[in-house]
Every structure is written in C-alpha cells, then in structure tokens.
Amino acid sequence: MAFTLQIGERAPDFSLPATDGKTYSLKDFADKKGLVVFFTCNHCPFVTGSDEVTRETALKFKEQGIAFVGINANSVNTYPTDSFEHMVKRMEANQFPWVYVRDDTQEVARAYGALRTPHFYVFDQDLKLIYTGRGIDNPRESDKATVNDLDRALSEYINGKPVSVPLTNPIGCNVKWDGKDEHWMPGEACDLV
C-alpha cells in the first residue's frame, strides 16, 4: 500500500478545530466545486516562501467555487511554534483566504499520507483526488518559480479538462511527526528556521 493518497481516491474525512473558532469537516465544503487540502505549518521556509503564491491561487479559484483548507499537523513537541495559539496569531497577521485547522493527533495527516509542508491535494466535486504534490517548483524562493502546478491543475479541472500532470513530488520540510517515528518520516528532515 502506498504511503500517500492515490489519484482517484476519496478525501478522508476529518473534524478539526480552526483558527476562526469553528470546527470543520468535509461536509462543510459539500457545496463547493472542488476542495484543496494542503498540509502546512507556521515556520517552514518552503511554506512562508510560497504563502503569497498560494494566496493568489486561492483567491483566483475561490470565485469559481474552490475551497482551500490548510492543515497544520506538525508536532508541537518538535516545533512549539506550530501550536494552535501561534496558528491564530499567524492568521490574524496574514488574513489568509483559507480555513486553517489543527490536526493535534496527526491522524488526518496519516490518513492523507502527508509528506511535506506544503503538500497539496486537489479534490473534485465528488471529493476524488485529481492532483497531489507541490504548489510551485520553487516554494522557498517563489520569485524564482517557473511552474505553478497547483494553478495548472485547478485551471484544467475548472475548464473541464483532465489534469495533465496529476502527480508531482511535494517540495518542503518533512511533516514533524510526534516522537519522530521513522515509519512516518520519509526522506531527510528540514529543520531550517
């Protein structure tokens, strides 16, 4: 069995608290044309380096019925700055156009097979996976990016076309698994601040 969710598989459900004081699950997005779930955090330079590109993409497709949900599953034991309190402060400071939820148990991250921050999953109206991987090809220095895979996948989907490149490798820091269980830590850790 593959570690990460496969193309065509259905989005695993969740019930997670958000920085806006609400709790969200998949049913909260049932009226949307599509859903982007992405694993993110507060500190990773690949996240912070590409935040504004992600914002542009989210705003562009929001009007077309695509919702964005950012999930922070990083262990607060490994990175205290990934706490819910810091998430709230980050949203207050940045006013990102997505729901930002906390996966304390890391069960949702495991269900999706999240590998990195950021790691994007694009689901169609039936919540079937149509794209997974990176947002852009240089998330740490977004001004040097030449490819926006997330934008392309969403554009193709919205225009009724099959996603031409449904799978890319996410680029970023490893998800910080609690206890650093090696089974859940593919690749090298990225402890850049």
Side-chain angles (χ1 to χ4, degrees), residues 7 12 39 61 74 83 97 100 107 115 128 157 163 165 171 179 190:
I7 299 300
F39 290 83
F61 290 98
N74 275 0
S83 71
Y100 194 19
E107 287 174 13
L115 299 171
K128 297 280 177 31
Y157 169 61
V163 175
V165 182
I171 302 170
C190 162

Side-chain angles (χ1 to χ4, degrees), residues 43 45-46 78-79 173-174 176 180 185 188-193:
H43 72 275
F46 296 90
T78 308
Y79 264 89
C173 297
N174 274 354
K176 303 297 184 271
K180 295 194 175 184
M185 290 187 64
E188 294 295 314
C190 162
D191 292 320
L192 303 164
V193 179

Side-chain angles (χ1 to χ4, degrees), residues 7-183:
I7 299 300
E9 288 187 326
R10 188 176 166 80
D13 205 356
F14 52 81
S15 180
L16 297 172
T19 55
D20 64 5
K22 300 175 186 172
T23 297
Y24 289 87
S25 62
L26 289 179
K27 71 177 184 320
D28 293 301
F29 308 100
D31 62 335
K32 300 298 179 187
K33 186 168 173 56
L35 177 65
V36 177
V37 173
F38 64 107
F39 290 83
T40 185
C41 66
N42 294 332
H43 72 275
C44 169
F46 296 90
V47 167
T48 58
S50 58
D51 270 341
E52 291 310 309
V53 177
T54 305
R55 181 198 301 274
E56 287 170 23
T57 306
L59 287 172
K60 176 180 175 181
F61 290 98
K62 189 175 189 176
E63 295 169 9
Q64 299 177 68
I66 305 292
F68 277 64
V69 179
I71 300 177
N72 183 352
N74 275 0
S75 168
V76 291
N77 296 320
T78 308
Y79 264 89
T81 55
D82 276 321
S83 71
F84 188 76
E85 293 71 26
H86 282 96
M87 289 170 59
V88 171
K89 288 177 186 168
R90 183 161 147 73
M91 282 300 273
E92 285 172 354
N94 294 284
Q95 297 294 307
F96 291 124
W98 52 76
V99 172
Y100 194 19
V101 298
R102 176 81 190 140
D103 177 21
D104 257 336
T105 65
Q106 302 187 317
E107 287 174 13
V108 176
R110 283 189 171 92
Y112 279 76
L115 299 171
R116 309 265 178 207
T117 55
H119 188 168
F120 294 87
Y121 296 80
V122 178
F123 298 94
D124 66 12
Q125 201 158 11
D126 299 321
L127 294 175
K128 297 280 177 31
L129 186 67
I130 57 171
Y131 172 80
T132 184
R134 66 191 188 186
I136 56 176
D137 63 348
N138 194 340
R140 191 161 183 186
E141 298 174 278
S142 60
D143 56 324
K144 295 180 180 171
T146 58
V147 178
N148 188 330
D149 293 279
L150 180 61
D151 185 280
R152 181 184 58 226
L154 287 167
S155 292
E156 289 171 343
Y157 169 61
I158 285 293
N159 288 304
K161 299 175 182 172
V163 175
S164 57
V165 182
L167 183 64
T168 60
N169 286 323
I171 302 170
C173 297
N174 274 354
V175 170
K176 303 297 184 271
W177 300 106
D178 204 24
K180 295 194 175 184
D181 177 354
E182 289 302 313
H183 176 71

